């Protein structure tokens, strides 16, 4: 369906219902999941390969 084209460039790709195309998501992807706890609280889980998460943390500290 052409999804692969979105993963070829640099930048951020946000996918709702990513489990539907799990087989083509790159191994370097970082997943951010939001869970409703109650009306005022959310749980945010960030997961991915360790080296990618370290890169994300380093970039965030640099302001990027």
């Amino acid at each position: 369906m052409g999804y692969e084209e979105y993963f070829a460039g640099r930048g951020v790709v946000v996918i709702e219902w990513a489990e539907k195309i799990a087989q083509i998501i790159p191994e370097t992807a970082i997943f951010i999941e939001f869970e409703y706890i109650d009306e005022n609280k959310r749980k945010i889980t960030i997961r991915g390969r360790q080296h990618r998460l370290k890169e994300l943390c380093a970039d965030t500290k640099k302001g990027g």
Side-chain angles (χ1 to χ4, degrees):
M1 296 184 75
Y3 295 112
E4 296 90 347
E5 296 171 7
Y6 291 104
F7 304 131
R10 295 183 50 88
V12 175
V13 177
V14 178
I15 304 169
E16 187 174 11
W17 306 103
E19 63 274 4
K20 293 184 177 193
I21 59 166
Q23 67 278 6
I24 65 170
I25 295 176
E27 292 182 3
T28 56
I30 294 173
F31 295 87
I32 302 173
E33 300 170 0
F34 295 84
E35 179 181 344
Y36 289 94
I37 302 300
D38 64 31
E39 184 176 315
N40 298 309
K41 293 183 183 180
R42 307 293 182 268
K43 176 182 175 183
I44 301 172
T45 303
I46 302 172
R47 62 182 175 83
R49 300 223 177 225
Q50 185 174 6
H51 75 280
R52 289 288 290 134
L53 294 175
K54 285 182 180 181
E55 290 173 356
L56 176 65
C57 288
D59 289 345
T60 302
K61 288 179 183 178
K62 293 178 188 175

